[in-house]
Amino acid sequence: RSHPPGPMFRVSRLAAVAALIATCAQLFPRGAHALGVTDDHPLVVRQGAPDTALCDRADAGHRRATQRGDQMLKLGRLEVAEACYLGALRLKNDFPMALYGLGEVHTRAEDDDRVDLAESAYKLALENWPQYVDAYIALGDLHERRERNDDAVAAYTKALEVAPGDVMAWEALGRHHLATSDFDKARDAYEKSLTSATNGESSPGLILGLAKAAWGAGSKLEGAEATKKFVECVSHAEKATNLAPDFGQAAHWNGKCRTHLKQTKKAMELLFRAVELDPEQPEHHSFLAGELVKLGRVKEAREVIMKGMEWVEKDEAAKEKAFQAAAAEEDDELNDTRVRRVGETGPRSLAAFRPTRTDSALRRQLRATESMDGSSSSDEDKDGDLAFDTRRAEAVRARRDAKRL
């Protein structure tokens, strides 16, 4: 006896649904969130992606694996960090901190082919945690790197919508305007941050941002108008120093602005002070050396450059030592190493990812100073006279300073 077609159709449809579920089960880990990474996601299958076995905490739970990734990221061990984050996502494929960490790995790789991966990771982190302020800031920084300035401002603004009092978000917006040489907007952002950010009025980094904005504006002006801006810069830098006497950046910018005011003696005193407070900052050594050369003190300039290069090497050695110490830690000894993309909000702040191979300008200056007094160098001086080299180094410094407070 013939059966009605309806039930048979329903059975066939159920079978199709079951097959579809079985297919999806091969792509998504058990309990996977729809907004997380899958086995075939570009973040997972990219060419050159490390095996998670490279991370010694990959199977210790998604939080511990992420903590280890943060440690390795701060130490510059990008491949190990990536393995740890991938291990964390294998256990919980929508964990925002691991997704953010992956974004940082691909950003710090300085490989243009991996920029899209970084953006994808940050956006996934935000889809899973829309209040993730750090991810908005990192996404804004990535847009800035790609010269998508409107998108960068939108990301920083979103961070401030989520957390109106977040100091790092205000810094990010201010330093972006510095980086794009929109010094009036930078000034407005920093002024607003003093009253809107948590404890903004007592934040040395935000106040120093006003000094940088004044310096930038003064550099575009001439005569009395320029002088007024450099005086303003000095005033803000001194206020930052009063709040944090050991803030090397404040001493550096105070001295830098005083060079424009022809206050040579005080400027040099402050520039030497900045090197003393923050010897690990190559740009402090570089600017001081340039000023010494202008004064004809070439031998001293070369000594300053050499000390700066020594600190770069010490930083690398310190990272290696820290890596070995981290590898020997027991599970229960893992510290909170949460990564924030931060600027300098005060003296000795925990600014993650401070560049460690920024000695190229120092090396060029060293070659130039050697040629000025008849000394020799094993490296060929391909960059011409010191004046040109100093201007280029200063431009590089300005961009770096605009990216960190």
Side-chain angles (χ1 to χ4, degrees):
R1 195 164 82 179
S2 61
H3 296 281
M8 289 183 65
F9 174 76
R10 286 196 295 272
V11 170
S12 299
R13 185 170 61 183
L14 289 173
V17 171
L20 178 61
I21 292 174
T23 300
C24 290
Q26 296 175 359
L27 296 176
F28 290 84
R30 179 180 291 274
H33 193 287
L35 294 178
V37 297
T38 60
D39 288 340
D40 59 349
H41 194 283
L43 287 166
V44 177
V45 300
R46 78 165 188 89
Q47 185 176 5
D51 192 314
T52 57
L54 190 62
C55 176
D56 62 349
R57 299 290 191 274
D59 298 320
H62 64 281
R63 293 186 183 278
R64 290 189 177 278
T66 300
Q67 284 182 321
R68 178 61 96 198
D70 292 347
Q71 284 183 317
M72 296 299 104
L73 188 61
K74 288 183 178 182
L75 296 173
R77 302 279 178 158
L78 299 184
E79 187 177 21
V80 180
E82 184 179 3
C84 291
Y85 294 133
L86 289 174
L89 292 169
R90 185 183 60 188
L91 301 172
K92 183 173 174 56
N93 77 326
D94 59 354
F95 190 46
M97 283 74 169
L99 289 165
Y100 172 80
L102 271 184
E104 292 294 88
V105 166
H106 294 304
T107 296
R108 295 297 157 181
E110 298 184 353
D111 182 346
D112 289 340
D113 292 337
R114 293 168 67 174
V115 174
D116 287 337
L117 293 174
E119 183 174 349
S120 175
Y122 293 140
K123 287 183 175 179
L124 270 177
L126 288 167
E127 288 173 4
N128 285 284
W129 186 16
Q131 291 76 38
Y132 202 168
V133 175
D134 299 344
Y136 282 118
I137 295 173
L139 184 60
D141 290 347
L142 193 66
H143 287 318
E144 179 186 294
R145 172 178 168 180
R146 306 178 87 171
E147 298 183 353
R148 299 175 179 175
N149 293 327
D150 290 342
D151 290 338
V153 172
Y156 300 138
T157 302
K158 184 64 178 178
L160 290 169
E161 290 176 6
V162 170
D166 192 90
V167 174
M168 298 305 118
W170 280 109
E171 283 191 357
L173 180 61
R175 74 173 181 253
H176 171 73
H177 290 312
L178 290 175
T180 55
S181 298
D182 197 335
F183 300 114
D184 289 340
K185 286 187 178 180
R187 178 201 61 214
D188 293 344
Y190 283 118
E191 285 182 345
K192 190 172 182 180
S193 73
L194 297 183
T195 56
S196 300
T198 303
N199 300 320
E201 291 184 350
S202 60
S203 170
L206 295 179
I207 292 170
L208 187 63
L210 286 171
K212 295 179 182 182
W215 173 84
S219 299
K220 289 185 172 183
L221 300 172
E222 295 181 357
E225 291 183 345
T227 298
K228 182 179 178 180
K229 288 297 181 181
F230 292 126
V231 169
E232 183 182 328
C233 171
V234 168
S235 176
H236 290 308
E238 289 186 339
K239 185 175 181 180
T241 297
N242 290 336
L243 289 169
D246 293 334
F247 193 6
Q249 284 278 349
H252 173 77
W253 281 92
N254 194 343
K256 190 171 184 177
C257 287
R258 286 178 185 273
T259 62
H260 290 275
L261 297 172
K262 308 302 181 184
Q263 299 174 2
T264 304
K265 182 177 179 180
K266 184 62 177 179
M268 297 306 294
E269 176 185 325
L270 288 163
L271 294 174
F272 272 107
R273 175 67 172 160
V275 168
E276 178 185 346
L277 291 172
D278 282 339
E280 72 278 10
Q281 293 281 358
E283 59 266 32
H284 291 183
H285 296 269
S286 180
F287 188 83
L288 173 57
E291 293 303 307
L292 286 169
V293 167
K294 291 177 184 178
L295 297 174
R297 296 158 64 177
V298 178
K299 183 177 179 181
E300 287 182 75
R302 187 162 61 248
E303 291 173 353
V304 168
I305 295 169
M306 293 295 292
K307 288 181 180 178
M309 293 169 63
E310 288 174 5
W311 272 99
V312 171
E313 295 171 358
K314 286 181 180 179
D315 188 50
E316 289 296 308
K319 283 192 174 185
E320 178 63 28
K321 184 177 180 180
F323 171 73
Q324 297 298 335
E329 284 183 347
E330 297 295 332
D331 284 351
D332 59 356
E333 293 177 346
L334 277 173
N335 296 319
D336 179 11
T337 55
R338 186 172 72 97
V339 173
R340 286 212 73 179
R341 177 181 294 259
V342 303
E344 297 246 20
T345 57
R348 307 286 185 179
S349 68
L350 299 178
F353 318 121
R354 182 172 287 162
T356 58
R357 300 309 302 171
T358 54
D359 58 345
S360 58
L362 294 176
R363 292 185 184 279
R364 290 195 298 271
Q365 281 184 296
L366 178 63
R367 291 198 299 269
T369 56
E370 288 173 343
S371 65
M372 291 181 71
D373 67 354
S375 302
S376 61
S377 173
S378 58
D379 296 323
E380 181 183 356
D381 184 4
K382 299 178 181 180
D383 295 313
D385 63 5
L386 180 65
F388 170 77
D389 199 61
T390 301
R391 288 195 300 272
R392 183 167 62 179
E394 185 165 349
V396 172
R397 278 198 308 275
R399 289 196 296 273
R400 287 177 186 151
D401 288 339
K403 291 178 180 296
R404 74 167 77 88
L405 283 175

